[in-house]
Amino acid sequence: MEITNPYLKRVYEKTVASNPQQPEFHQAVFEVFSSLDPVFNRHPEYEAIDLMGRMVEPERMITFRVCWQDDRGGWHTNKGWRCQFNGAIGPFKGGLRFQKNVCDSVIKFLGFEQTFKNSLTGLPIGGAKGGSDFDPEGKSDAEIQRFCQSFMTALYRFIGPDVDVPAGDIGVGGREIGFLYGQYRRLKGAWENGVLTGKGLSYGGSLIRPEATGYGAVYYLCEVLKHENDTIAGKNIAVSGYGNVSWGIMKKAAQLGAKVTYMSGRDGYVYDPDGINTEEKLNYVLELREKHLHCKPYAEKFGCKFVPNAKPWGEPGVDICMPSATQNEVDLECATKIVNSGVKYYMEVANMPTTNEALAYLRAEKSIIVAPSKAVNAGGVGVSALEMAQNSERLVWTEEEVDAQLKKMMINIHKVSAEAAEEYGLGYDLVAGANIAGFKKVAEAMTEQGCF
Ligand code: GLU
């Protein structure tokens, strides 16, 4: 992976220089730029309007203070962010992440990626991301509630159903979205439930939204398998993480005759040769997540193997790897193990789970097909956009309706990515194809709207 177009090279170097100490952001920009070389070589008009120089600069970056009180009466202060990266094709849209390691670099890389991902969904949503360095681990419900209320008090003036629509991400699930919406409603004095997605069903949430990222990833996987004249039935899958996304993958894989045999947590990984596929097991995974526990209790409960302090990659008998936890969890060492174990499909699910070094290695390997997170996990935000549509029309769609639209969306994302790569003579390169296809729509909108 390299950037050869002189204009893109200049923009990349300037981005690095003017955003010091933001390695994740640099990484995301490098990865996208290295795919866009052929596009900029063919379209010099983009350089003339400094399109890429504009695309790497967020339209707006809001930072704020979040003060909250713990249950013992102690006061704490955290940082809060909302990065409205690109609004050319729709209201800003993207999740909120509450995690200790959240910083400018993480928020910006996520916002940048979101712009292309949201474009790929084919729906009118711009790119954004936000969050806080607040650590939800070990906090009581009351503490989470106070934190969310304080966070929304600082944020509410910058968002709205037609302005910017946050949702969940790591550390932000249904409970947090509920507290955030409650506070928004209290402050605005109006029923604007399209302001957030991932809501509970009783106040405007969409059916299938909790499952959407995982289901979407499996629908996308099925398209890749179809392209390879292969099928999902009988496949063994390794995932990392045991959050909402992994749970959705486990559920859909089980429905389609495949099984997830590995999952991991911060404490190590679990190997369940029978698959994490029964209702009891799937519900237990949800329970684990709610309690912020580690994954070892699963192994104890269901009598299977637990390996402490290790990642689930490179074990025998796995056909498909789906890293679903967090950024840069797969480095070159993990990638080498994955290839050597004979895995045929590497589907990124978490946002940017692969270091650029590992990604370059995997993409160069002929024995493995690599698909990028901005395409594979787009079903989550895609169904968020369907939730916005339902909120706008004040209607509720059936589970079948939402699921059918999600499936159609994922089939189309795979199709447009494969076609974009083909158009630029890159063969079946899903990474470059997703970047190019996502870029095209945003580039067209920005060009037509003039320079700002
Ligand atoms: N956080 C998810 C993502 O990375 C979902 C965002 C949303 O639904 O707005 O795409």
Side-chain angles (χ1 to χ4, degrees):
M1 278 166 25
E2 54 174 344
I3 306 168
T4 55
N5 177 280
Y7 166 66
L8 288 181
K9 240 179 168 164
R10 272 199 317 278
V11 176
Y12 177 70
E13 276 155 20
K14 189 173 163 219
T15 305
V16 171
S18 63
N19 298 278
Q21 286 150 10
Q22 297 187 359
E24 291 88 358
F25 180 50
H26 303 163
Q27 179 184 340
V29 170
F30 185 90
E31 193 270 312
V32 169
F33 278 24
S34 66
S35 296
L36 294 181
D37 261 345
V39 181
F40 277 77
N41 291 342
R42 199 182 286 181
H43 292 280
E45 70 274 17
Y46 289 150
E47 177 179 347
I49 58 167
D50 189 28
L51 188 71
M52 217 61 220
R54 288 195 267 149
M55 262 195 197
V56 292
E57 198 58 54
E59 283 189 31
R60 197 169 297 105
M61 178 82 160
I62 301 146
T63 61
F64 46 91
R65 178 176 72 199
V66 189
C67 294
W68 57 281
Q69 198 171 23
D70 66 31
D71 291 341
R72 295 182 314 279
W75 284 97
H76 302 269
T77 307
N78 283 95
K79 284 179 188 293
W81 286 267
R82 186 68 181 167
C83 176
Q84 299 177 335
F85 219 107
N86 194 309
I89 64 168
F92 299 107
K93 180 85 196 89
L96 297 172
R97 179 175 287 194
F98 293 170
Q99 202 179 24
K100 242 189 331 205
N101 67 359
V102 166
C103 58
D104 292 82
S105 176
V106 166
I107 295 291
K108 279 172 68 181
F109 111 68
L110 288 165
F112 184 71
E113 290 276 299
Q114 198 83 38
T115 301
F116 300 95
K117 177 196 321 199
N118 292 4
S119 163
L120 279 171
T121 66
L123 296 167
I125 38 178
K129 205 80 187 193
S132 173
D133 57 3
F134 170 75
D135 181 9
E137 182 94 31
K139 304 290 188 298
S140 70
D141 273 2
E143 287 171 334
I144 298 283
Q145 179 168 163
R146 286 195 291 274
F147 178 81
C148 288
Q149 288 175 340
S150 187
F151 187 90
M152 184 52 86
T153 304
L155 182 65
Y156 85 99
R157 68 191 69 237
F158 303 107
I159 60 176
D162 295 316
V163 180
D164 182 357
V165 182
D169 197 82
I170 296 173
V172 179
R175 175 183 58 168
E176 289 74 15
I177 293 295
F179 294 149
L180 289 164
Y181 181 62
Q183 186 69 358
Y184 181 85
R185 189 167 76 79
R186 190 180 183 191
L187 291 163
K188 293 286 289 201
W191 185 258
E192 292 179 4
N193 66 346
V195 70
L196 288 166
T197 60
K199 297 182 292 292
L201 293 177
S202 58
Y203 61 99
S206 175
L207 288 161
I208 304 288
R209 178 62 190 90
E211 291 88 350
T213 312
Y215 278 21
V218 176
Y219 291 146
Y220 182 98
L221 166 66
C222 289
E223 291 309 292
V224 174
L225 290 163
K226 206 189 283 168
H227 182 271
E228 297 304 295
N229 294 320
D230 205 347
T231 62
I232 190 160
K235 293 281 186 295
N236 288 338
I237 304 173
V239 304
S240 52
Y242 57 90
N244 159 267
V245 176
S246 299
W247 166 78
I249 293 173
M250 291 164 186
K251 230 175 129 175
K252 185 48 78 178
Q255 285 169 17
L256 299 177
K259 56 187 183 192
V260 172
T261 50
Y262 289 88
M263 71 170 177
S264 69
R266 241 179 289 169
D267 53 342
Y269 71 81
V270 162
Y271 172 51
D272 183 346
D274 298 330
I276 308 167
N277 46 14
T278 62
E279 209 178 316
E280 191 192 359
K281 288 177 177 177
L282 290 165
N283 286 339
Y284 190 68
V285 169
L286 279 187
E287 214 179 289
L288 273 183
R289 172 173 158 251
E290 263 163 33
K291 290 187 184 151
H292 292 290
L293 290 173
H294 298 296
C295 68
K296 189 178 174 192
Y298 178 96
E300 283 162 355
K301 185 170 165 71
F302 296 103
C304 50
K305 186 167 137 187
F306 171 73
V307 180
N309 305 319
K311 294 184 180 183
W313 314 126
E315 295 303 317
V318 174
D319 306 293
I320 301 157
C321 280
M322 302 181 83
S324 310
T326 194
Q327 68 266 14
N328 290 329
E329 52 173 304
V330 175
D331 59 12
L332 188 57
E333 194 190 328
C334 300
T336 312
K337 281 189 192 158
I338 289 171
V339 168
N340 291 343
S341 70
V343 164
K344 271 198 72 182
Y345 305 97
Y346 179 80
M347 306 277 120
E348 290 189 331
V349 191
N351 292 311
M352 204 171 77
T354 322
T355 65
N356 274 348
E357 197 186 16
L359 188 60
Y361 163 74
L362 288 167
R363 289 176 70 190
E365 276 297 320
K366 293 275 171 289
S367 62
I368 194 162
I369 291 180
V370 181
S373 54
K374 59 173 79 67
V376 180
N377 76 25
V381 74
V383 172
S384 274
L386 302 181
E387 184 173 330
M388 288 162 70
Q390 292 170 72
N391 297 155
S392 293
E393 48 177 36
R394 308 244 156 123
L395 290 175
V396 177
W397 301 355
T398 63
E399 194 174 320
E400 292 72 29
E401 229 171 322
V402 179
D403 195 34
Q405 289 235 27
L406 169 63
K407 194 167 180 182
K408 209 166 79 188
M409 193 187 310
M410 299 315 297
I411 292 173
N412 195 52
I413 292 174
H414 173 266
K415 182 169 170 275
V416 297
S417 301
E419 283 171 359
E422 203 58 58
E423 186 188 336
Y424 284 91
L426 302 168
Y428 189 55
D429 183 341
L430 295 171
V431 176
N435 285 331
I436 296 170
F439 165 82
K440 270 170 130 181
K441 185 178 172 190
V442 182
E444 194 178 308
M446 286 177 78
T447 308
E448 289 178 13
Q449 289 172 32
C451 190
F452 76 94

